[in-house]
Amino acid sequence: MPGMESPTLIPPPDKPRPKSSRPRKTSRGATAEEMSQRQREISVSEFFAKNRHLLGFDNPRKALLTTVKEAVDNALDACEEAGILPSIRVVLEPLSETRFRVTVRDNGPGIVRKQIENVFGRLLYGSKFHRLKMSRGQQGIGISAAGMYGLMTTGRPVVILSQIRRKDPLHEVVLKMDTSRNRADIVSDTERPSEESIFADGHGTEVAIELEGKHLKGRQSVDEYLEQTAIANPHARIEFVQSSGETVVFERAVDELPPETQEIQPHPRGIELGTLIQMLERTDRSQLGAFFKEEFCRVGPRAAKEICGKAGLSDRTWVKQVGHAEAERLYNAIQEVKVPAPPTSCVQAIGTKTLLSGLLKEVKGEFYAASTRPPSVYRGRPFIIEAAMAFGGDLPADEPARVIRFANRVPLQYQQSACSSFKAVLETNWRNYGLTQPRGSAPVAPLVVMIHMASVWVPFTSESKEAIADYDEIRKEMRLALQECGRKLQTYLNRRRRMARQGERRSAFLRYIGEIAKSCGELTGKDAQAVYDALMKQAESKTAEFDLVLDDEGRVVDDGGSLARDEGVVIVEARQSPILPADGDDPDGGDGTLFGDAPPNAAKRGARSARKRTRRRSN
């Protein structure tokens, strides 16, 4: 009411807190000093031991494949760098249902004794990471990680045999990896006399790793990996002793090593600002002009002077006077100055002839085409894209095309959908080349597609090196290479259809040519044989392409078409599959002639037509 004081609100008494909600003493009360005592450095091998799936050791089957892959890749690299034609022996020895001993022996130059424990017992140790030069290995992780996986799953050490010359002793080293220190612990070190050498050439390396694994044939298996390796490396001989004891030999198809690649300096367009600052801090050059000319490729005196001028500096400016602001101006100037593309001597393509040799050896098709793109650049790093395909023959016609992916001659067997190579296949419009292609899928045809990327640094999506990252520049080059092969295939299919139609015309003509010649002779009074010969000559001129002859390499002899002149095409007549429906049998059951014995050429042509019709019906 007015004039009355408002009552004072008295808060209710606090309720006692339940015992369960009382604060408990936890580690959150630790001091900074106590927390600092818990912090410690971990080695790279300790990290990958806990995250081995990053290196491709997800499951026993994949771990077995990864181990063989890393050992074979190292063997091929060592042999090629030493100028030796590779001869590799791979043995899978089953010790139990889930345990195998993997042994890989090569005829390479061997490894000097003091480097064995570093090569096989330390992660991120090698000679390839810092070089801008094409090689299979990059990070120095693979074979050491395989030995680490074997030690973790079986507790057994790695056994290495190495000999560098015939007269030198053979070293046998047994070692384990200490993951906490990223170092190797030597279990035993034995030196054998050269008379006990197991290497036929007197030099080489053998590594044996015991591990938990699973050997199954089929896709994504050791068998498929070695088969694809033989396709991309036809200069190598690979002997594979399977877990069943059966031996498979992939003989070399060529006796020449790939041309040797050369190491190059970084390209200025491929570096970032932080990298440029670090290079300025570490260089031995005193002036900017000498720094750009010596530390980068494709930068001459004129380009170096232009870069420095756009940054407000001189090519005689002392490097030690360049701070962060000056380095940023130099970096921006690099993006504006026109610098030639990096040299391509650091990468080497497989080559169309070698690609075709590998496919002919391993894939039973009827038409083969290959294409090599000109060198291109991504992030300042040169790369070359190659594509090849095999069509028809014994390949299944009702399944999606098989895509075989390679990076620096190494097969990629996992993460196909994440790979730029596979995406390029899906993006290509195969309908333009006469094939059936469901939306968003690979073409459904008797087709095998092979894509290879050669680069000084392949941008893999993970440390396990299973898929190529999807850079726009890379995918574009892959698509262009596939389109070039597709155009060759389209030309071949069109010619096959045309030849089939001509064959049908000739077959129908030969059925009645005897009766026609006889009737014309009776009506005109001319010699029936002369009429028959004239009609046969006319048939030859109208269906001449049906009589094409192929040489020992499957090429068309005396054909003016573009395929005959294309070195990236091989046609194998004996494996041809049908393009058009087969004709019916001759209703008269005869040879299509009135005169008992047809002329020799006509008999051959008739027999050839019959054989082709029979082959089409059987297929």
Side-chain angles (χ1 to χ4, degrees):
M1 294 181 64
M4 296 183 62
E5 297 181 358
S6 60
T8 303
L9 298 178
I10 303 176
D14 293 337
K15 295 182 179 180
R17 180 178 296 176
K19 292 184 179 180
S20 59
S21 62
R22 289 180 180 176
R24 298 166 60 186
K25 187 176 181 180
T26 64
S27 59
R28 291 183 180 273
T31 63
E33 291 80 1
E34 292 173 341
M35 288 189 291
S36 65
Q37 295 176 359
R38 302 173 190 155
Q39 299 168 352
R40 67 180 183 89
E41 179 185 4
I42 64 171
S43 68
V44 62
S45 55
E46 189 175 2
F47 170 79
F48 282 117
K50 293 184 178 181
N51 299 276
R52 63 192 186 194
H53 60 281
L54 297 176
L55 302 178
F57 298 93
D58 302 21
N59 53 70
R61 185 187 184 192
K62 190 175 178 182
L64 184 67
L65 168 63
T66 303
T67 301
V68 173
K69 171 181 175 295
E70 297 296 346
V72 171
D73 290 351
N74 287 354
L76 290 171
D77 269 341
C79 290
E80 291 177 7
E81 194 166 348
I84 302 171
L85 279 173
S87 181
I88 301 172
R89 176 180 171 86
V90 180
V91 180
L92 295 185
E93 181 182 355
L95 304 178
S96 67
E97 187 176 352
T98 60
R99 181 174 293 192
F100 292 83
R101 180 183 291 114
V102 178
T103 305
V104 179
R105 181 192 304 169
D106 64 62
N107 63 333
I111 303 174
V112 296
R113 169 61 192 87
K114 64 179 181 180
Q115 288 291 352
I116 290 179
E117 53 262 44
N118 291 327
V119 172
F120 293 93
R122 295 179 62 183
L123 295 183
L124 296 179
Y125 184 90
S127 61
K128 304 170 186 176
F129 185 84
H130 303 284
R131 297 187 306 179
L132 288 180
K133 178 182 177 180
M134 175 182 167
S135 63
R136 293 172 180 81
Q138 292 183 345
Q139 303 147 339
I141 292 180
I143 194 62
S144 302
M148 179 181 67
Y149 173 81
L151 179 65
M152 293 172 59
T153 55
T154 67
R156 306 294 296 177
V158 183
V159 181
I160 302 104
L161 299 175
S162 177
Q163 186 176 12
I164 59 176
R165 277 180 291 269
R166 187 179 298 276
K167 63 180 181 179
D168 290 344
L170 174 71
H171 293 279
E172 179 180 357
V173 179
V174 181
L175 58 83
K176 294 182 178 181
M177 176 183 288
D178 184 352
T179 57
S180 63
R181 299 185 299 130
N182 193 27
R183 293 290 187 273
D185 290 335
I186 303 298
V187 177
S188 66
D189 186 356
T190 307
E191 186 177 295
R192 301 181 186 175
S194 57
E195 291 77 12
E196 299 182 13
S197 175
I198 62 173
F199 302 105
D201 297 332
H203 52 78
T205 305
E206 177 181 291
V207 55
I209 301 175
E210 191 172 323
L211 49 80
E212 291 286 341
K214 188 176 183 180
H215 181 213
L216 296 175
K217 296 185 178 181
R219 295 292 175 89
Q220 299 179 338
S221 65
V222 175
D223 308 67
E224 185 186 54
Y225 162 75
L226 293 177
E227 176 187 344
Q228 295 183 7
T229 300
I231 293 175
N233 301 271
H235 61 285
R237 181 185 186 275
I238 303 175
E239 181 180 352
F240 177 39
V241 182
Q242 302 178 355
S243 57
S244 61
E246 181 183 357
T247 300
V248 179
V249 179
F250 302 95
E251 296 290 352
R252 60 173 55 96
V254 296
D255 294 326
E256 295 181 2
L257 283 169
E260 185 179 2
T261 56
Q262 306 294 328
E263 184 178 356
I264 65 170
Q265 294 291 346
H267 192 268
R269 287 290 180 85
I271 64 169
E272 296 172 328
L273 176 58
T275 305
L276 176 62
I277 294 175
Q278 293 178 358
M279 294 178 67
L280 287 167
E281 293 172 349
R282 298 171 183 173
T283 183
D284 296 330
R285 310 299 170 185
S286 57
Q287 295 180 339
L288 281 180
F291 166 75
F292 278 107
K293 288 185 291 184
E294 300 297 333
E295 300 289 343
F296 296 98
C297 67
R298 296 299 199 189
V299 179
R302 180 179 300 177
K305 188 173 183 179
E306 186 177 356
I307 291 172
C308 295
K310 285 184 175 293
L313 303 171
S314 168
D315 57 347
R316 297 181 178 273
T317 301
W318 298 101
V319 174
K320 61 183 180 181
Q321 296 178 349
V322 177
H324 185 279
E326 291 80 6
E328 191 165 358
R329 293 203 303 269
L330 286 172
Y331 178 77
N332 294 331
I334 290 174
Q335 314 309 314
E336 299 176 5
V337 174
K338 186 176 181 180
V339 180
T344 57
S345 58
C346 56
V347 293
Q348 182 59 49
I350 297 176
T352 55
K353 185 176 181 179
T354 306
L355 279 174
L356 293 174
S357 299
L359 280 176
L360 278 167
K361 185 177 67 170
E362 302 298 337
V363 180
K364 304 304 181 184
E366 70 182 61
F367 173 82
Y368 301 82
S371 171
T372 300
R373 293 288 303 164
S376 188
V377 179
Y378 81 97
R379 291 182 56 190
R381 297 183 173 95
F383 70 97
I384 297 176
I385 295 298
E386 298 176 284
M389 63 172 57
F391 177 84
D394 298 336
L395 300 175
D398 56 349
E399 298 180 5
R402 180 185 176 191
V403 181
I404 305 176
R405 302 168 293 131
F406 293 89
N408 287 354
R409 297 177 180 261
V410 178
L412 309 178
Q413 295 184 278
Y414 284 88
Q415 298 185 14
Q416 176 174 268
S417 60
C419 186
S420 181
S421 303
F422 188 71
K423 293 178 181 179
V425 173
L426 300 186
E427 284 186 356
T428 303
N429 189 358
W430 296 98
R431 301 183 193 90
N432 292 340
Y433 311 116
L435 302 181
T436 302
Q437 183 182 17
R439 184 182 298 273
S441 302
V444 178
L447 182 68
V448 172
V449 179
M450 172 181 171
I451 300 179
H452 173 240
M453 176 181 180
S455 177
V456 297
W457 187 263
V458 179
F460 292 113
T461 57
S462 66
E463 293 83 356
S464 57
K465 299 180 292 186
E466 296 170 346
I468 301 173
D470 193 19
Y471 282 87
D472 292 339
E473 302 93 330
I474 296 175
R475 197 201 295 190
K476 176 184 176 182
E477 289 296 316
M478 290 178 175
R479 190 169 60 251
L480 291 174
L482 290 172
Q483 290 172 351
E484 185 173 346
C485 290
R487 288 190 292 271
K488 297 176 182 179
L489 176 62
Q490 182 185 26
T491 302
Y492 170 74
L493 293 179
N494 290 340
R495 196 190 73 183
R496 281 287 311 277
R497 294 187 178 97
R498 187 168 62 252
M499 290 175 65
R501 287 193 296 269
Q502 291 176 354
E504 291 176 353
R505 291 170 56 195
R506 169 174 290 177
S507 177
F509 195 71
L510 288 175
R511 293 173 187 170
Y512 307 107
I513 190 172
E515 291 289 344
I516 294 174
K518 183 178 178 180
S519 300
C520 290
E522 293 177 351
L523 292 174
T524 61
K526 295 185 177 293
D527 183 17
Q529 183 64 50
V531 175
Y532 179 83
D533 293 340
L535 291 175
M536 286 299 303
K537 185 177 181 180
Q538 185 72 9
E540 291 176 0
S541 64
K542 295 297 183 181
T543 60
E545 190 175 7
F546 194 63
D547 289 327
L548 291 177
V549 180
L550 305 181
D551 62 14
D552 56 352
E553 292 186 359
R555 297 189 183 280
V556 179
V557 177
D558 295 331
D559 175 36
S562 59
L563 290 181
R565 298 187 297 271
D566 195 333
E567 295 183 354
V569 171
V570 170
I571 303 172
V572 182
E573 184 184 25
R575 300 174 187 165
Q576 284 180 356
S577 59
I579 297 298
L580 295 178
D583 294 327
D585 293 334
D586 189 344
D588 298 330
D591 59 1
T593 65
L594 179 64
F595 312 100
D597 293 330
N601 292 338
K604 291 180 181 180
R605 289 191 293 268
R608 183 185 305 161
S609 301
R611 286 197 302 270
K612 290 193 176 183
R613 290 197 300 272
T614 303
R615 187 188 306 118
R616 287 198 292 265
R617 288 196 297 270
S618 64
N619 287 340

